Amino acid sequence: MRVSEWLTIAYFAYLGLIALMRPAMSRRRRALLAAGGLIAVVFVPLAMPPGPIRERLRDWLPAGYLLAGYWLSGLYFTAPMPRI
């Protein structure tokens, strides 16, 4: 696996663990875990036999992971912190 794929797995596992551990995330937990599961399903094409289609897919997937990670981390926002 590529370094970007290992980092993606680690980041989305981290987001999932936070969603499970924080009680304030109970309303958004379902959305976070569903989206994390969807990202995991994206890894299924990587199990295909090697070929040009798989390699092209692997070249472009990090852009999707970046957007998904940005969107999912936004679900953790609960309220502004004016003192900070």
Side-chain angles (χ1 to χ4, degrees):
M1 286 182 70
R2 296 178 179 179
V3 174
S4 64
E5 294 164 354
W6 283 111
L7 291 172
T8 300
I9 290 170
Y11 182 70
F12 286 109
Y14 167 73
L15 289 179
L17 286 173
I18 291 174
L20 290 173
M21 297 172 95
R22 292 193 59 199
M25 300 305 304
S26 62
R27 291 189 300 174
R28 296 180 183 167
R29 183 175 296 145
R30 194 174 304 139
L32 287 163
L33 293 176
L38 183 64
I39 296 299
V41 169
V42 170
F43 278 103
V44 170
L46 300 179
M48 295 186 319
I53 294 173
R54 177 183 175 206
E55 292 307 313
R56 284 190 193 136
L57 183 63
R58 288 179 78 188
D59 289 340
W60 285 96
L61 279 176
Y65 299 149
L66 183 65
L67 292 173
Y70 180 76
W71 177 76
L72 285 176
S73 63
L75 290 176
Y76 285 94
F77 175 78
T78 56
M81 297 185 295
R83 293 190 327 189
I84 292 180

